[in-house]
Amino acid sequence: MSNRENFSSTFGIIAAAAGSAVGLGNIWRFPYVAGENGGGAFLLIYIFIVLILGIPLLISEMMIGRRAQANVIGSFKKLGPKSSIIIGIIGLLAAFIILSFYSTVGGWTIHYIYASISGEVFKLDYQQYFTNFKDKSFLPLLWQVIFLIMTAIIILGGVKKGIENCSKVLMPLLILMLIILMIRAVTLPGSKSGIDFFIKPDFSKVTGKTFLAAMGQAFFSLSIGMGAMLTYGSYIKKDQNLTFIGFSITIADTLIAILAGFVIFPTLFSFNVAPNQGPGLIFVTLPAIFDQMPWGAGFSTLFFILLLIASLTSSISLLEVIVAVLKEELKWSRTLSTIITTILVMCLGVFTTLSWNTFQNLFITTAQGNCMYIFDICDYFSSNILLPLGGFLIMLYVGWYLKKDVFYEELSAGVNNKFTLSLRSMIFFIVKYIAPLVIILVFLNGLGII
Ligand code: PFF
């Protein structure tokens, strides 16, 4: 397979993989999940899970992809045994479901660019504005289709040109913007209790569900457990240091989520908005903060444009998981694979986007009495069940099937410093024993089984 496309440089790989990791998960999902799960204690548990599960799994996925030089199905087919293909199938399913609701939120983001330019987002009560918009039928669907078409167009450009170039420019700008917003947020009157909520852990609120939510969020945010990093790993050349890449992506991703927390929570408390708003949280909070800034509408437009780009560099990695399989396993052209996948995602996407409109009668009620609509079910099921399940199987696969020699060989390629090499045994030990155990415990506990 010498003609496979490759990333050109270490920076290019990190930009593309960090581009996959950093997206709506950090800025939209992290604050709302943290807000629903008690703030500070959630943050601590989240960081713990990122370290103990996130880094080892990210590295494991990349090494499988690089070793096999193939997509999420092809890799397991090549490296064997046959039954391991199930891991690829779980990944495909997760990519498909995530993309369907991810594009709903991507569509909301595009709408907020429009609403910032027209100024209409600042006219009404922010909460009211968001609910009115989200409950419509035509507009959210239109934006979702546009978001998916944008994703498809980038994917049609191929790996190097499309993914790498797009990711390289955006990240620094987005970080700068978040820092500006954070400064505004923490200087708002009454913001101190928001900061406390976010960094002072209140362990009385911690339950098994908190751990499950933190694990789901970590997997979602790092794009792991479903083969996105495996697919990107397959485009990485043998002279690249996977350990370094894994750590860099994880650190960048986590810092950006924390930064987003420092924007959202101080603002929430300053405006007396409850932190457990659910998926609409940033769309209610951010307009409030922009309204308090000079050139607010301009900043708001710029921010949502950056968020859109960040979400596109993630959605392309989701689409690429599926397209790579169709292209390499079924020998379809990149164009056909992209078009068919996009249409299929849109079919499920109609249901997620119209969760609060046409399909508002389709919901389940949780033990706490909250309604979960199709959107919430897709979000919960993919992040909290499919990704950890995929991650669990990948760790077992690497630890018990591929074994130490292969792991060491992949983690030594392109490495010439002793410290990095010395980390191999610890990471392998975690992959083989600790991580699978932690996932099982969090799973069983979170689902109320133990
Ligand atoms: N990590 C992305 C985000 O935080 O927005 C979402 C995502 C991308 C999840 C790719 C899973 C994935 F495979």
Side-chain angles (χ1 to χ4, degrees):
M1 274 238 174
S2 54
N3 60 349
R4 273 179 72 82
E5 301 156 285
N6 272 317
F7 288 127
S8 57
S9 63
T10 309
F11 182 72
I13 299 155
I14 294 183
S20 166
V22 176
L24 293 169
N26 308 61
I27 292 161
W28 158 71
R29 201 173 187 281
F30 176 81
Y32 105 69
V33 178
E36 280 178 341
N37 287 283
F42 177 89
L43 177 62
L44 266 187
I45 296 170
Y46 178 78
I47 293 174
F48 169 76
I49 288 186
V50 162
L51 292 177
I52 201 86
L53 301 180
I55 296 178
L57 180 54
L58 189 74
I59 294 174
S60 299
E61 269 194 40
M62 287 191 154
M63 67 151 278
I64 297 175
R66 182 168 75 174
R67 183 136 195 116
Q69 289 290 299
N71 58 75
V72 68
I73 298 279
S75 292
F76 293 106
K77 240 194 218 148
K78 258 193 200 168
L79 304 176
K82 245 204 153 109
S83 56
S84 64
I85 292 181
I86 184 74
I87 305 177
I89 295 174
I90 295 175
L92 282 181
L93 184 67
F96 185 67
I97 299 178
I98 295 178
L99 199 48
S100 74
F101 72 85
Y102 205 82
S103 54
T104 301
V105 186
W108 295 351
T109 310
I110 304 181
H111 179 77
Y112 270 67
I113 298 175
Y114 156 79
S116 308
I117 297 174
S118 73
E120 67 182 50
V121 64
F122 303 113
K123 290 199 187 115
L124 277 174
D125 171 64
Y126 314 116
Q127 176 90 55
Q128 196 70 45
Y129 181 82
F130 177 71
T131 314
N132 285 348
F133 159 68
K134 177 193 74 159
D135 293 353
K136 289 200 174 90
S137 58
F138 178 69
L139 208 50
L141 268 185
L142 173 72
W143 295 131
Q144 178 183 35
V145 172
I146 293 179
F147 182 83
L148 280 172
I149 292 178
M150 290 171 125
T151 307
I153 289 175
I154 307 176
I155 284 296
L156 286 177
V159 175
K160 243 173 84 178
K161 268 195 299 178
I163 304 180
E164 205 176 313
N165 289 347
C166 200
S167 306
K168 267 194 230 171
V169 270
L170 141 96
M171 207 78 59
L173 255 175
L174 182 72
I175 294 176
L176 182 70
M177 185 79 190
L178 282 170
I179 292 175
I180 297 176
L181 284 178
M182 178 181 76
I183 295 172
R184 175 68 273 218
V186 299
T187 50
L188 286 169
S191 60
K192 170 88 176 42
S193 36
I195 300 173
D196 287 349
F197 174 82
F198 188 44
I199 56 175
K200 285 206 180 134
D202 174 0
F203 288 105
S204 67
K205 294 203 191 108
V206 172
T207 64
K209 292 206 171 54
T210 321
F211 281 89
L212 185 61
M215 181 163 80
Q217 176 56 29
F219 281 43
F220 185 90
S221 188
L222 290 170
S223 308
I224 49 179
M226 49 154 286
M229 290 299 177
L230 183 155
T231 308
Y232 275 17
S234 75
Y235 306 129
I236 297 179
K237 293 191 198 128
K238 291 281 179 203
D239 61 355
Q240 301 289 343
N241 176 346
L242 291 186
T243 315
F244 175 73
I245 295 172
F247 272 85
S248 314
I249 295 166
T250 309
I251 292 170
D253 186 69
T254 308
L255 286 180
I256 293 181
I258 293 175
L259 210 52
F262 276 111
V263 174
I264 301 297
F265 293 112
T267 314
L268 275 181
F269 281 72
S270 171
F271 285 89
N272 264 325
V273 182
N276 58 350
Q277 297 283 310
L281 185 65
I282 65 159
F283 296 97
V284 175
T285 328
L286 290 172
I289 181 170
F290 290 122
D291 220 2
Q292 298 291 312
M293 290 166 72
W295 312 297
F299 270 117
S300 180
T301 311
L302 181 62
F303 179 83
F304 284 110
I305 290 177
L306 290 173
L307 184 61
L308 172 66
I309 302 173
S311 52
L312 283 170
T313 57
S314 302
S315 63
I316 54 180
S317 70
L318 287 157
L319 187 56
E320 179 68 19
V321 170
I322 309 174
V323 167
V325 170
L326 298 179
K327 197 171 138 245
E328 291 168 11
E329 302 307 309
L330 302 184
K331 308 281 178 250
W332 293 4
S333 68
R334 181 171 270 277
T335 313
L336 182 69
S337 313
T338 307
I339 293 174
I340 299 284
T341 313
T342 308
I343 292 174
L344 288 178
V345 169
M346 197 55 225
C347 292
L348 178 60
V350 171
F351 288 86
T352 54
T353 300
L354 298 184
S355 291
W356 304 272
N357 184 299
T358 316
F359 303 109
Q360 57 175 309
N361 293 325
L362 294 181
F363 61 84
I364 50 178
T365 314
T366 63
Q368 292 79 34
N370 300 325
C371 293
M372 282 178 88
Y373 296 95
I374 301 177
F375 177 97
D376 307 298
I377 296 170
C378 287
D379 183 356
Y380 183 92
F381 177 68
S382 54
S383 310
N384 293 1
I385 313 275
L386 283 181
L387 297 185
L389 179 65
F392 174 72
L393 295 175
I394 291 171
M395 303 265 207
L396 290 188
Y397 184 77
V398 171
W400 298 84
Y401 175 75
L402 287 184
K403 305 216 176 85
K404 204 172 189 158
D405 289 349
V406 174
F407 190 83
Y408 274 40
E409 198 185 305
E410 281 297 325
L411 264 66
S412 313
V415 181
N416 42 26
N417 84 63
K418 283 219 176 76
F419 176 70
T420 311
L421 291 176
S422 71
L423 292 174
R424 286 176 312 192
S425 57
M426 186 183 74
I427 301 176
F428 187 73
F429 184 78
I430 297 179
V431 168
K432 186 165 183 178
Y433 301 102
I434 314 271
L437 203 67
V438 173
I439 297 181
I440 293 194
L441 286 177
V442 173
F443 235 160
L444 297 182
N445 193 11
L447 297 176
I449 297 168
I450 52 168

